[in-house]
Amino acid sequence: MQVKHNYLVHLTKVFTLVFCDILLIVASMVGALWIRHDFQLSAIDPEFLETLLLYLPVNLFCTLLVFKLCRLYNNLWQFAGIMELNSVVAAVLLSTLLQTAGMALLRLRIPRSYPFLYILLLFLAVSASRYLIRVLYRERQRNAAAQPDIRTLIVGAGGAGNMLLREIKSSRQVHRVVPCIVDDDPVKRGTYLHGVPVVGDFSAIPRCVQEYQIQEIVIAIPSLSPARKKALLEICQETACKTLTLPGIYQIVNGEVSVSMLRQVDINDLLGRPPVELEMEEIMDYVSGKVILVTGGGGSIGSEICRQLALHRPRLLIVFDIYENSVYDLQHELLDRHPDLQLEVLIGSVRNRARVDSIFETYHPDLVFHAAAHKHVPLMEDSPNEAVKNNVLGTWVVARAADAFGARKMVLISTDKAVRPTNVMGASKRICELVVQRFSQTSKTEFAAVRFGNVLGSNGSVVPLFQKQIEAGGPVTVTHPDIIRYFMTIPEAVNLVLQCGALARGGEVFILDMGEPVKIDDLARKMIRCCGLVPDRDIRIEYIGLRPGEKLYEELLLNEDNLKKTAKDRIFVARQPEVDTAWLDHEVEELVSNAFNETGDIRARIKRLVPEYEPRANRAPAEAETPAS
């Protein structure tokens, strides 16, 4: 019934347009003679009127047929643009040529200026009628809107700004009105885009917000460099307006997003450095055709490693994790995107030597990416024995199996918290680095570690926590006003891991130059401002104190003298000193044994392996307040 109703509505609209066009055609024919005779009907030659009367049926039939062929009755005129205008021009021109030719063939007398006046009148009349449809539609949508329009300032009068403004003016889903635009191009200042003035450059944003009562700012310059975007965002944040960004034009053209999909400013935009671009095709040659095992494959980093590997045709990808829900979702995602992918999803713990050995014996992986670990700092402070069991023992079990079953490479996912650790998690990861260093000294397998900082958007990251707290109305909890962290995106972290696999020759710790560290308090305030809110006024920031095992400053290297550049920009390698394998084997065995015996003094045993490990509570206040060199 609904389909039939919609069809009847469509037919009604078409017949209405046809009827209007008949009136417009007649009016244009008479109007052309009226103008030709100086706007005096009495001055028109009766023979010319007889010509119009005789040719009117033929002209109506031919013109309506041409209009039909030019789709003047099929276009959605409420969204009309240049293409529809071209259709009107073509239809009017062709119908006028047919009328002129027909009158000539029938030898009907008509003034020589008639065709020129007729085509002008008909074009204006038909265009105006279609434009009226668009105006009425937009007015009806505006009146039907359930919410008031948001006064929006667009930053950028280029291609993206043009597409955005067009959709704002035509879409019923976008309840916005744009009183002005700003653009840094001096040529565009003082011009108009779809009737909206370009009133100044980026520095004019605060003035425009006040003058035009702006509620929301949309950045429509996808090509901005990270540094310029950061500077622009800082200007926007001074206004307390909600700030949104528009995806790139290439994404719109490719159908990945629509112009309506404005997104809140990604926190990546606030970091102020360009993403690390790696030559993935070059470095992924070592992946194609290989059997690859990813432990902890259901986690944030592990799952992204799997996604990237699946793009490069491995012979077999094995996802190993103890948590079945996350790998179940990943399994369906990978097979949906890559139907030809040879995939095995296995459940089990890296602490279980028999289970790990059976996987290596069955599949003989060429490459191993070891991402399985307990990573949450405060939780590991409360359960230090579990950090040792899962991180240290798990790494030892996987590394021993990689060695015993002849894997070509094994890459350990480490952390900046392994440098001068103040918590059990960081200290346990430092021991993991020592473990892969130990095996690299005695094995044909190439072992390496990747050390990086906090990963944006990962499980347990501060950014999702802040987003949830802002959505809940606050407060946003920051541990300390001076705490700083290095940040990187999940793709950057995974790129580094895969790059490490290509460059590894045994015993390296790979490090990414992540630029300047970010102050967490500043990060929280910027996120609040990006939502159009004012920190400490609309959303309260609450300082809750450093959590167990947490320190103010994270580091990436213990001794910068060991740092060397690789062939790739911003990728560095730190060669590690050799370890006493017999001593390490004994100490790790004792450490794991103590952990399984649930000793209450596991930290003392950890410190035997990592002398630089100092629990935060034991540090002198002055040392904890300043960044380590």
Side-chain angles (χ1 to χ4, degrees):
M1 290 297 293
Q2 182 64 38
V3 174
K4 184 177 180 181
H5 171 74
N6 291 341
Y7 182 69
L8 290 174
V9 170
H10 173 70
L11 281 181
T12 303
K13 290 179 179 179
V14 170
F15 283 127
T16 302
L17 271 179
V18 170
F19 178 74
C20 289
D21 285 345
I22 290 173
L23 296 179
L24 295 176
I25 293 166
V26 174
S28 298
M29 294 175 73
V30 176
L33 286 181
W34 181 51
I35 294 172
R36 166 64 181 78
H37 291 86
D38 300 326
F39 305 99
Q40 296 183 21
L41 288 174
S42 58
I44 299 176
D45 189 328
E47 188 176 358
F48 294 155
L49 290 174
E50 185 178 349
T51 295
L52 294 188
L53 188 61
L54 288 172
Y55 198 74
L56 179 61
V58 178
N59 189 40
L60 286 175
F61 175 79
C62 292
T63 302
L64 295 176
L65 180 61
V66 169
F67 282 13
K68 170 65 176 175
L69 295 175
C70 291
R71 298 196 296 272
L72 264 61
Y73 302 120
N74 300 98
N75 287 325
L76 295 173
W77 293 103
Q78 60 266 40
F79 307 115
I82 297 298
M83 292 296 296
E84 288 73 23
L85 181 64
N86 291 339
S87 297
V88 173
V89 171
V92 171
L93 180 61
L94 182 57
S95 65
T96 303
L97 289 175
L98 288 175
Q99 180 183 193
T100 304
M103 287 182 174
L105 287 173
L106 295 175
R107 297 184 178 181
L108 298 173
R109 287 189 65 237
I110 203 74
R112 285 190 296 271
S113 60
Y114 169 82
F116 303 102
L117 296 171
Y118 173 78
I119 193 172
L120 176 63
L121 291 176
L122 186 61
F123 171 73
L124 292 175
V126 173
S127 299
S129 66
R130 269 56 179 182
Y131 183 73
L132 182 62
I133 294 173
R134 180 174 173 174
V135 170
L136 292 175
Y137 175 83
R138 282 165 50 190
E139 191 62 30
R140 191 180 76 177
Q141 295 303 319
R142 185 175 290 110
N143 292 336
Q147 59 195 65
D149 287 339
I150 300 169
R151 297 184 66 79
T152 302
L153 169 67
I154 293 180
V155 180
N162 170 59
M163 294 183 72
L164 173 64
L165 187 57
R166 284 188 60 185
E167 184 151 337
I168 286 175
K169 286 177 170 289
S170 62
S171 174
R172 72 173 110 180
Q173 277 78 35
V174 184
H175 301 287
R176 292 175 172 86
V177 60
V178 181
C180 63
I181 302 172
V182 297
D183 197 292
D184 249 10
D185 186 351
V187 175
K188 293 176 181 174
R189 263 170 263 157
T191 61
Y192 288 79
L193 182 64
H194 298 294
V196 178
V198 181
V199 298
D201 58 13
F202 295 167
S203 64
I205 290 175
R207 173 180 58 82
C208 293
V209 168
Q210 294 292 330
E211 184 176 337
Y212 294 95
Q213 298 180 323
I214 299 298
Q215 300 166 279
E216 179 181 86
I217 299 172
V218 179
I219 299 173
I221 314 177
S223 59
L224 271 180
S225 67
R228 289 192 67 205
K229 182 177 286 186
K230 182 182 179 184
L232 175 58
L233 287 171
E234 288 174 352
I235 295 173
C236 296
Q237 288 158 12
E238 293 174 6
T239 67
C241 288
K242 185 176 182 180
T243 305
L244 305 171
T245 60
L246 190 68
I249 292 296
Y250 76 93
Q251 293 174 291
I252 298 167
V253 172
N254 291 344
E256 298 174 28
V257 293
S258 70
V259 184
S260 296
M261 291 173 63
L262 295 174
R263 65 173 175 85
Q264 294 219 14
V265 174
D266 196 305
I267 204 65
N268 299 358
D269 300 334
L270 304 176
L271 296 183
R273 64 170 174 84
V276 176
E277 298 291 344
L278 299 177
E279 300 168 6
M280 292 303 296
E281 291 300 328
E282 174 186 327
I283 69 174
M284 293 301 282
D285 287 343
Y286 77 101
V287 167
S288 181
K290 302 296 191 300
V291 177
I292 306 171
L293 169 65
V294 181
T295 70
S300 305
I301 298 297
S303 61
E304 183 64 21
I305 291 174
C306 294
R307 293 184 188 97
Q308 293 292 336
L309 292 173
L311 296 170
H312 296 274
R313 299 178 299 281
R315 181 154 62 91
L316 175 65
L317 177 59
I318 306 165
V319 182
F320 184 48
D321 203 295
I322 196 169
Y323 184 52
E324 71 273 18
N325 290 350
S326 59
V327 289
Y328 175 80
D329 293 337
L330 180 64
Q331 179 184 38
H332 282 274
E333 176 190 337
L334 291 175
L335 292 177
D336 285 344
R337 293 184 179 181
H338 310 282
D340 298 329
L341 176 66
Q342 297 300 309
L343 179 67
E344 286 285 349
V345 175
L346 305 175
I347 302 301
S349 170
V350 291
R351 292 154 45 167
N352 186 336
R353 176 173 172 173
R355 176 60 168 153
V356 171
D357 282 355
S358 72
I359 292 171
F360 274 83
E361 186 176 15
T362 302
Y363 298 101
H364 289 280
D366 302 295
L367 306 175
V368 180
F369 294 95
H370 183 50
H374 287 324
K375 306 180 184 73
H376 199 283
V377 170
L379 291 182
M380 292 305 99
E381 289 302 293
D382 294 334
S383 305
N385 291 323
E386 294 306 308
V388 171
K389 295 174 191 175
N390 203 60
N391 295 358
V392 178
L393 176 59
T395 300
W396 184 280
V397 168
V398 175
R400 191 207 59 80
D403 172 39
F405 292 93
R408 181 184 167 196
K409 293 176 185 282
M410 174 176 163
V411 179
L412 165 72
I413 311 303
S414 190
T415 171
D416 58 355
K417 294 174 177 62
V419 182
R420 290 191 180 92
T422 59
N423 52 70
V424 170
M425 193 282 285
S428 69
K429 295 299 282 186
R430 176 58 189 148
I431 299 173
C432 294
E433 293 180 355
L434 294 174
V435 168
V436 297
Q437 176 69 20
R438 173 253 183 270
F439 278 98
S440 73
Q441 294 173 193
T442 60
S443 174
K444 292 182 180 180
T445 301
E446 296 169 347
F447 290 88
V450 190
R451 187 187 289 167
F452 47 75
N454 298 272
V455 180
L456 290 171
S458 65
N459 297 330
S461 166
V462 69
V463 173
L465 173 64
F466 285 172
Q467 289 173 332
K468 289 178 182 177
Q469 290 175 336
I470 292 170
E471 289 171 4
V476 171
T477 56
V478 177
T479 54
H480 192 284
D482 296 324
I483 193 169
I484 63 171
R485 291 291 182 265
Y486 291 94
F487 279 103
M488 65 194 311
T489 66
I490 289 179
E492 282 179 322
V494 169
N495 281 341
L496 177 59
V497 172
L498 299 179
Q499 179 80 315
C500 171
L503 298 177
R505 296 297 177 265
E508 304 96 338
V509 172
F510 288 89
I511 298 160
L512 173 66
D513 175 11
M514 295 187 293
E516 294 299 316
V518 175
K519 199 171 181 180
I520 300 300
D521 186 55
D522 292 344
L523 190 66
R525 293 177 184 275
K526 288 176 181 178
M527 290 182 66
I528 292 170
R529 291 191 187 101
C530 283
C531 296
L533 303 170
V534 178
D536 297 322
R537 187 193 73 184
D538 302 319
I539 297 285
R540 182 167 56 90
I541 293 180
E542 182 178 312
Y543 300 107
I544 59 175
L546 293 176
R547 298 175 298 177
E550 206 167 38
K551 58 181 178 179
L552 288 179
Y553 306 98
E554 301 291 2
E555 308 155 76
L556 293 176
L557 281 174
L558 185 58
N559 183 353
E560 293 192 6
D561 293 336
N562 292 334
L563 185 64
K564 294 182 181 179
K565 295 190 72 172
T566 67
K568 304 299 181 183
D569 278 346
R570 304 181 72 174
I571 303 293
F572 297 86
V573 62
R575 295 293 306 190
Q576 301 296 298
E578 288 196 357
V579 298
D580 184 332
T581 56
W583 170 81
L584 184 71
D585 291 353
H586 172 74
E587 289 297 328
V588 168
E589 183 179 354
E590 288 293 313
L591 175 68
V592 172
S593 176
N594 275 263
F596 276 93
N597 288 331
E598 300 300 334
T599 180
D601 194 26
I602 197 70
R603 288 176 174 83
R605 179 61 67 170
I606 290 174
K607 191 167 176 61
R608 289 169 60 93
L609 278 155
V610 187
E612 65 272 20
Y613 166 51
E614 285 288 346
R616 188 176 64 84
N618 296 337
R619 287 206 167 200
E623 186 181 357
E625 295 279 332
T626 57
S629 58

